[in-house]
Amino acid sequence: MQDSLKLETLGDWQRTHTCGELRATDIGHEVTLCGWVHRTRDHGGFLFVNLRDRYGVAQVMFDPAQDRELELRAKELKFEFVIAVRGLVRARPQGQANAQMPTGEVEVLARELKVLSSSATLPFMIEDATTASEELRLRHRYLDLRRPALARNIILRHEFIHAIRDYLHQRGFLEIETPLLTKSTPEGARDYVVPCRTQHGKFYALPQSPQIYKQLLMVSGFDKYFQIARCLRDEDLRADRQPEHTQIDIELSFPTMEAIFALVEGMFAEVFSAAAGVKLQTPFPRLTYHEAMRRFGSDKPDLRYGLELA
């Protein structure tokens, strides 16, 4: 790297805004942005840098008429360099607003630049329409997770879990964690085992599900509790199985069947609406086991296709 782009620290700079939150109401304000260089465009005198973080993308302009040395430094920026920029928010010139970007009405006229981290040549571009193989993307997982599609999946999972916790908390459920190191119990798959250093020849088992602790808590009087439980099972991969997964574990005492249906259907309806904006109709269609087997030959039929036995 040339001396003009030697790495710096953030120092006393404080990020004032994220890249995705700038709007027309911020025009005239001085801001400090931090993020990754997503794109650069040299328009013959003006240099534009699209700066990205997980909240969105902001356009930063380097004007040689304002600061020629700063613009020359910015020309050396490459994809995925991590930078901090200070500048003034202003409206984009008439006819240059980008309606496809939430921040498309404004841009930041850069006054100061710090290069916090450099980047080697990328093995693939950070964009949704990548042609990189899955093997290559997994080898560079930290880059793959920067792609907007995968970032959205992680954010959606967070929103989903958050909505579940809110729904059950409002109905009097306690969230209780249970230990990951436990004794082996006979279940449907082999246990993963962890050797115990203090007791030679003894092993802990990782839980296939929190079964023992469910029973213990129920008889202890905790009549409503739930857990976002990690489950680990040493079994072969299948379409709907993997060595570890997360399940929503709900326990309640003295329920009726209708109360369970109402709780779970209401949870799915509220969570899908809050986290994904999807409206579900309740009550859900119900089939007895015998009817499902008679009509579809499966106790978990996919009703989207209507392929009934004849």
Side-chain angles (χ1 to χ4, degrees), residues 14-213:
Q14 175 69 46
R15 181 172 70 167
T16 61
H17 295 72
T18 65
C19 295
E21 69 176 300
L22 296 181
R23 298 293 187 272
T25 53
D26 297 303
I27 291 173
H29 294 173
E30 183 159 304
V31 298
T32 301
L33 303 180
C34 300
W36 286 260
V37 174
H38 190 62
R39 289 285 186 277
T40 60
R41 306 187 310 280
D42 190 342
H43 285 190
F46 298 105
L47 180 72
F48 294 94
V49 173
N50 280 4
L51 192 63
R52 186 194 76 243
D53 60 16
R54 78 171 176 90
Y55 304 95
V57 177
Q59 178 171 287
V60 181
M61 192 190 84
F62 293 86
D63 185 353
Q66 298 276 344
D67 191 327
R68 177 62 175 168
E69 182 181 344
L70 184 65
E71 190 255 354
L72 289 174
R73 289 183 64 214
K75 281 187 174 181
E76 298 183 48
L77 297 174
K78 306 298 183 185
F79 291 131
E80 297 306 292
F81 275 36
V82 182
I83 65 172
V85 174
R86 273 183 177 169
L88 187 70
V89 181
R90 67 180 193 180
R92 295 195 189 188
Q94 188 172 6
Q96 295 184 22
N98 185 347
Q100 304 302 315
M101 292 173 61
T103 60
E105 293 183 271
V106 298
E107 64 187 10
V108 176
L109 177 60
R111 292 177 173 174
E112 296 179 78
L113 167 67
K114 287 188 175 185
V115 180
L116 307 178
S117 178
S118 61
S119 172
T121 302
L122 299 175
F124 55 87
M125 296 303 295
I126 310 301
E127 55 191 11
D128 285 346
T130 181
T131 58
S133 67
E134 184 177 41
E135 180 182 359
L136 181 64
R137 289 189 290 110
L138 289 175
R139 186 181 305 132
H140 301 277
R141 188 61 164 167
Y142 64 98
L143 294 177
D144 199 30
L145 290 175
R146 295 181 193 175
R147 295 194 300 121
L150 292 189
R152 285 193 297 269
N153 288 344
I154 290 177
I155 293 169
L156 177 61
R157 187 183 191 280
H158 160 76
E159 297 291 347
F160 197 87
I161 296 297
H162 181 67
I164 289 169
R165 288 191 163 108
D166 281 350
Y167 176 86
L168 293 174
H169 172 72
Q170 291 166 9
R171 284 154 182 79
F173 283 80
L174 302 176
E175 182 174 8
I176 303 177
E177 292 186 352
T178 56
L180 282 178
L181 295 175
T182 182
K183 66 173 290 185
S184 180
T185 58
E187 294 196 44
R190 293 190 303 177
D191 292 317
Y192 286 108
V193 294
V194 180
C196 178
R197 179 185 58 82
T198 58
Q199 298 187 51
H200 184 69
K202 302 289 186 179
F203 295 84
Y204 292 106
L206 298 180
Q208 296 187 38
S209 68
Q211 189 65 42
I212 292 176
Y213 303 105

Side-chain angles (χ1 to χ4, degrees), residues 225-258:
Y225 98 89
F226 77 98
Q227 184 178 4
I228 311 298
R230 297 295 291 172
C231 302
L232 303 105
R233 300 170 182 172
D234 186 6
E235 58 185 357
D236 295 337
L237 289 173
R238 283 179 272 170
D240 59 350
R241 296 286 176 87
Q242 59 187 29
E244 59 176 304
H245 66 274
T246 304
Q247 68 184 35
I248 306 168
D249 199 77
I250 299 175
E251 298 294 326
L252 64 160
S253 299
F254 318 118
T256 64
M257 185 167 64
E258 287 300 320

